[in-house]
Amino acid sequence: MKFLTTNFVKCAIKSCDSSADSFPLQYADCQLAQEEQDYNPEFISHILERLDWDAIIKVAADLGNTSLPPTKPEDLDPIMEDNQVILKDLHNLLVETHILEGKMTCRNCGHIYYIKNSIPNFLLPPHLC
Ligand SMILES: [Zn+2]
């Protein structure tokens, strides 16, 4: 799964819904891969507005990347030359970085979800549904 997806998934257990600790999940034992994708600065600039930047920073740190700015880069006009370095960096992180294998743990209930062959599995055993 793309790194970007980590900003849109949280614990699937109902009782965790109201907990701030159920997002983002904690990532561990992850195997990463870079997969080249078409660079689309408009997409990156647009999606950035919808991202929870604190969650991006936390997950990046789980994966060993502590180089992100502490506050979300704002108003990145995708046609401005000055913005291309940061937009390309974000493209590289959000779209081209894939988590192939790993586990995601809910900080609230401790449930572990697994990523296999780049696919996160959020199915719960019957007693937790
Ligand atoms: Zn949970």
Side-chain angles (χ1 to χ4, degrees):
M1 65 185 225
K2 287 179 177 31
F3 183 97
L4 184 60
T5 308
T6 67
N7 217 250
F8 299 101
V9 295
K10 61 176 195 167
C11 184
I13 294 171
K14 275 201 186 76
S15 56
C16 287
D17 244 6
S18 56
S19 168
D21 291 331
S22 65
F23 174 83
L25 296 166
Q26 185 161 34
Y27 291 74
D29 302 336
C30 290
Q31 186 189 333
L32 306 179
Q34 292 299 121
E35 292 178 20
E36 206 169 307
Q37 307 276 337
D38 288 337
Y39 174 53
N40 181 342
E42 287 82 12
F43 172 77
I44 299 295
S45 173
H46 179 71
I47 196 82
L48 197 56
E49 291 168 23
R50 297 177 50 206
L51 295 181
D52 180 323
W53 189 252
D54 289 338
I56 292 283
I57 289 177
K58 270 190 193 167
V59 175
D62 284 348
L63 300 178
N65 177 348
T66 54
S67 67
L68 294 175
T71 54
K72 176 156 55 170
E74 303 276 2
D75 297 325
L76 293 175
D77 186 334
I79 59 169
M80 293 281 288
E81 194 57 39
D82 286 354
N83 293 331
Q84 298 312 306
V85 171
I86 180 82
L87 285 169
K88 275 191 180 134
D89 279 354
L90 288 167
H91 168 75
N92 182 267
L93 175 69
L94 300 172
V95 181
E96 292 190 322
T97 301
H98 289 247
I99 305 172
L100 301 181
E101 308 278 334
K103 56 186 188 185
M104 309 173 280
T105 306
C106 173
R107 289 172 223 261
N108 189 52
C109 71
H111 190 77
I112 298 174
Y113 300 89
Y114 290 90
I115 304 164
K116 286 200 163 72
N117 298 318
S118 201
I119 298 168
N121 182 355
F122 287 98
L123 293 177
L124 295 171
H127 70 279
L128 289 172
C129 290

